[in-house]
């Protein structure tokens, strides 16, 4: 019924298209576009990204040994085949001198969708967190996945045999798995060559994945835990007696929660590999309190934890410090405690929650009022949680909000006769902005495929925008 209504609305109004700008070309932007192209016949969508290449988290966040997750790019390719869709890569939206401002987008579009994700990581806030050997999991993932700007990241992979990962979500297990995976397995993926070279020389044999609560409160999923348990020639270490007692005590809860019960079964079963040179562990009830360093305070040598106890029901248990501490030696610490979004000038932002305030994707101002023609999707909308399927559901919700606003003729951005990207042509010229189309992205991708084929891998990603644009024989703006 909703689709029929919007089509009736579209045909009854002027033939002028409904022009939508999308800021961010990751899964949230593409999935919202996918639904709108299906439900709104007269929509014209321009998707902007600061990089010359699209797909965001799918390209730069998904682990290289998870190619099946990246298959969604085929769906995105089909979205881009629609004549009403246009990709404008290599165009930054924001307040920098060579960017297009939000106000300039408002002048040329009926509505704007902000889906630029979460590009910063959260910090532990403990002493010595800034010394060499302490890094974010986000930066490590960006390094091995080839996000421009991270190819020069320095990590002490050949200086230590022990790494600690703070956090117990899927990203934490991703980085632990990459650190311990056989190098010949990684060679068959699209991991970057410079990361392969560094990992081939890595001395790391032990990875401790540390959380402040217990096994029932861990944020990783069964799939990632099973993969970790099945790493070849890597044993699993943990306080199994305590884990079993926690699982036994939670049986009334587990009997009503099949996914959690399944995951606890995998954890209780453990790994088939024993007495190996390499190992990983899950350590619970530990909150980092200090990074331990060498005498010059220039590099990490260990980490100090406050030991916790749990209070409250199993699924809502809170970690409470006991005042007791324990030290652990290590030469690398990767914090994996979440990402956060950054504000953009001209867009309401809740700094405390680290996201854009909204109601079902419709952006709200500081007083909680809906902002006409302004929408959000993905991590910027809900916070950095969930997997790509969660983002699809989230994006479809925002799309439905836009469709409903059109159906009800709710106000959009001020002005009429909007021209979309055509209205920005002079701005592009004056600021030396050279947009990259989706067809041109496919040429860049073909060059990556060709480079990867020579190396016996799916693709070899270009390290910089300059290298990407060189494929098109143009200079970087």
């Amino acid at each position: 019924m909703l689709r029929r209504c919007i089509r009736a609305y579209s045909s009854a109004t002027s033939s002028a298209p409904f022009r939508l700008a999308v800021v961010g070309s990751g899964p949230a932007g593409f999935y919202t576009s996918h639904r709108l192209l299906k439900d709104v016949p007269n929509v014209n969508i321009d998707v902007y990204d600061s990089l010359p290449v699209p797909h965001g988290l799918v390209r730069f966040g998904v682990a290289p040994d998870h190619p099946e997750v990246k298959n969604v790019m085929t769906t995105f390719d089909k979205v881009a085949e629609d004549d009403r869709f246009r990709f404008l890569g290599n165009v930054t939206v924001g307040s920098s001198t060579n960017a297009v401002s939000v106000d300039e987008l408002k002048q040329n579009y009926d509505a704007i969708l902000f889906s630029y994700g979460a590009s910063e990581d959260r910090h532990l806030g403990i002493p010595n967190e800034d010394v060499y050997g302490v890094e974010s999991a986000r930066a490590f993932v960006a390094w091995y996945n080839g996000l421009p700007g991270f190819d020069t990241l320095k990590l002490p992979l050949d200086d230590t045999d022990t790494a600690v990962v703070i956090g117990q979500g899927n990203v934490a297990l991703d980085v632990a798995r990459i650190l311990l995976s056989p190098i010949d397995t990684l060679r068959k993926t699209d991991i970057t060559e410079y990361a392969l070279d560094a990992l081939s020389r890595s001395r790391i044999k032990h990875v401790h994945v540390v959380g402040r609560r217990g096994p029932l409160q861990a944020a990783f999923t069964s799939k990632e835990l099973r993969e970790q348990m099945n790493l070849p020639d890597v044993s699993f270490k943990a306080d199994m007696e305590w884990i079993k007692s926690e699982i036994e005590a939670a049986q009334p809860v587990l009997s009503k929660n099949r996914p959690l019960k399944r995951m606890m079964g995998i954890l209780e079963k453990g790994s088939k590999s024993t007495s190996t040179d390499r190992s990983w562990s899950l350590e619970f009830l530990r909150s980092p309190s200090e990074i331990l360093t060498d005498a010059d305070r220039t590099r990490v040598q260990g980490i100090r934890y406050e030991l916790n106890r749990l209070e409250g029901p199993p699924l809502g248990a809170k970690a409470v410090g006991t005042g007791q501490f324990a030290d652990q030696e290590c030469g690398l610490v990767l914090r994996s405690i979440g990402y956060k979004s950054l504000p953009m000038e001209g867009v309401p932002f809740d700094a405390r929650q680290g996201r854009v305030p909204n109601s079902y994707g419709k952006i709200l101002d500081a007083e909680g009022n809906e902002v006409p023609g302004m929408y959000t999707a993905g991590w910027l909308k809900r916070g950095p949680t969930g997997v790509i399927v969660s983002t699809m559901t989230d994006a479809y919700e925002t799309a439905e909000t836009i469709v409903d606003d059109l159906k009800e003729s709710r106000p959009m951005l001020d002005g009429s006769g909007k021209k979309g990207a055509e209205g920005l042509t002079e701005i592009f010229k004056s600021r030396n902005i050279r947009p990259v189309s989706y067809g041109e992205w496919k040429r860049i991708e073909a060059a990556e495929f060709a480079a990867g084929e020579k190396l016996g891998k799916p693709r070899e990603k270009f390290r910089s925008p300059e290298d990407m644009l060189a494929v098109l024989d143009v200079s970087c703006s």
Side-chain angles (χ1 to χ4, degrees):
M1 179 64 184
L2 184 59
R3 194 172 301 165
R4 288 199 301 270
C5 287
I6 187 60
R7 284 177 177 166
Y9 164 83
S10 302
S11 62
T13 58
S14 125
S15 60
F18 169 65
R19 295 192 182 276
L20 173 71
V22 177
V23 181
S25 68
F30 265 91
Y31 278 126
T32 307
S33 299
H34 177 253
R35 179 55 63 90
L36 289 173
L37 290 168
K38 184 178 179 182
D39 288 356
V40 185
N42 70 329
V43 70
N44 274 19
I45 300 174
D46 291 340
V47 175
Y48 292 88
D49 201 290
S50 59
L51 290 173
V53 297
H55 303 158
L57 189 66
V58 177
R59 178 178 168 94
F60 297 117
V62 174
D65 57 349
H66 284 175
E68 73 285 353
V69 180
K70 300 184 183 187
N71 288 337
V72 296
M73 288 193 288
T74 302
T75 299
F76 299 161
D77 284 346
K78 292 178 180 177
V79 171
E81 290 174 2
D82 194 303
D83 291 339
R84 298 169 295 160
F85 178 96
R86 181 166 43 179
F87 173 67
L88 294 99
N90 199 41
V91 180
T92 299
V93 175
S95 54
S96 60
T97 54
N98 63 339
V100 176
S101 71
V102 172
D103 281 344
E104 287 165 339
L105 287 183
K106 288 180 178 179
Q107 293 165 22
N108 289 281
Y109 290 92
D110 300 302
I112 307 173
L113 169 73
F114 296 92
S115 56
Y116 57 84
S119 59
E120 291 289 311
D121 62 280
R122 297 187 183 278
H123 290 257
L124 295 166
I126 60 176
N128 304 320
E129 190 176 355
D130 57 348
V131 300
Y132 175 64
V134 181
E135 196 50 80
S136 69
R138 181 189 67 85
F140 183 57
V141 170
W143 172 74
Y144 65 63
N145 271 332
L147 180 64
F150 286 87
D151 57 321
T152 58
L153 184 70
K154 302 299 182 184
L155 299 163
L157 298 177
D158 54 358
D159 292 341
T160 180
D161 66 357
T162 304
V164 167
V165 182
I166 303 300
Q168 292 183 333
N170 283 341
V171 174
L173 291 194
D174 278 347
V175 300
R177 191 177 65 255
I178 295 299
L179 286 170
L180 293 171
S181 288
I183 198 68
D184 287 341
T185 298
L186 294 177
R187 289 189 199 280
K188 301 172 185 176
T189 73
D190 67 356
I191 192 171
T192 57
E193 281 297 297
Y194 61 77
L196 270 177
D197 179 61
L199 289 167
S200 69
R201 293 182 279 105
S202 172
R203 290 179 47 226
I204 290 179
K205 293 185 177 180
H206 311 290
V207 179
H208 304 277
V209 181
V210 181
R212 59 191 175 87
R213 297 191 293 170
L216 292 158
Q217 296 82 36
F220 47 70
T221 57
S222 293
K223 178 180 181 294
E224 277 69 23
L225 180 60
R226 186 181 293 109
E227 280 185 288
Q228 194 74 14
M229 291 296 189
N230 290 336
L231 277 173
D233 301 318
V234 177
S235 57
F236 171 62
K237 298 180 179 180
D239 184 346
M240 294 307 297
E241 290 303 315
W242 179 76
I243 288 174
K244 288 177 181 179
S245 69
E246 287 291 292
I247 293 173
E248 181 63 31
Q251 284 304 314
V253 173
L254 294 177
S255 65
K256 300 175 184 177
N257 190 325
R258 291 181 63 185
L260 184 58
K261 183 178 181 179
R262 187 182 307 116
M263 190 167 74
M264 291 302 101
I266 296 169
L267 179 57
E268 198 169 9
K269 186 177 179 181
S271 171
K272 294 180 181 179
S273 299
T274 57
S275 303
T276 60
D277 288 338
R278 296 180 300 157
S279 69
W280 78 286
S281 69
L282 280 172
E283 300 183 24
F284 301 101
L285 304 180
R286 282 163 165 75
S287 293
S289 62
E290 182 182 359
I291 299 296
L292 306 177
T293 71
D294 58 6
D296 296 330
R297 293 194 174 185
T298 57
R299 63 189 305 143
V300 62
Q301 288 194 336
I303 187 168
R304 178 165 293 157
Y305 307 109
E306 181 174 11
L307 305 182
N308 299 326
R309 67 174 186 274
L310 293 178
E311 292 185 357
L315 296 186
K318 294 183 178 180
V320 178
T322 63
Q324 297 178 305
F325 295 84
D327 294 350
Q328 184 172 56
E329 291 185 1
C330 63
L332 173 65
V333 175
L334 296 172
R335 60 179 181 269
S336 182
I337 55 173
Y339 300 163
K340 61 181 180 180
S341 298
L342 294 175
M344 180 177 290
E345 187 174 321
V347 184
F349 190 78
D350 185 329
R352 185 179 64 83
Q353 295 190 356
R355 62 185 182 89
V356 170
N358 70 93
S359 175
Y360 302 100
K362 186 72 171 286
I363 293 178
L364 306 175
D365 63 19
E367 286 72 43
N369 302 310
E370 292 186 351
V371 181
M374 300 274 276
Y375 304 89
T376 185
W379 283 2
L380 186 64
K381 169 186 172 184
R382 71 180 188 276
T385 60
V387 294
I388 289 176
V389 172
S390 313
T391 296
M392 179 182 70
T393 303
D394 170 289
Y396 285 175
E397 178 186 75
T398 295
E400 288 300 321
T401 296
I402 296 173
V403 169
D404 189 59
D405 283 354
L406 288 171
K407 182 192 72 169
E408 298 297 332
S409 298
R410 295 191 179 102
M412 293 292 173
L413 295 172
D414 289 338
S416 59
K418 304 294 183 76
K419 296 181 179 180
E422 280 73 15
L424 297 168
T425 301
E426 291 304 315
I427 289 174
F428 293 158
K429 289 180 180 178
S430 66
R431 294 173 195 169
N432 197 27
I433 297 172
R434 198 284 193 188
V436 173
S437 70
Y438 206 84
E440 289 173 323
W441 143 243
K442 297 303 287 184
R443 286 170 55 191
I444 294 171
E445 184 179 49
E448 291 183 339
F449 287 156
E453 187 175 7
K454 294 177 181 178
L455 298 168
K457 58 196 296 191
R459 78 168 80 212
E460 176 61 17
K461 297 172 186 172
F462 291 111
R463 298 188 186 189
S464 69
E466 290 84 358
D467 292 339
M468 298 168 186
L469 293 170
V471 175
L472 310 176
D473 195 27
V474 296
S475 62
C476 185
S477 61

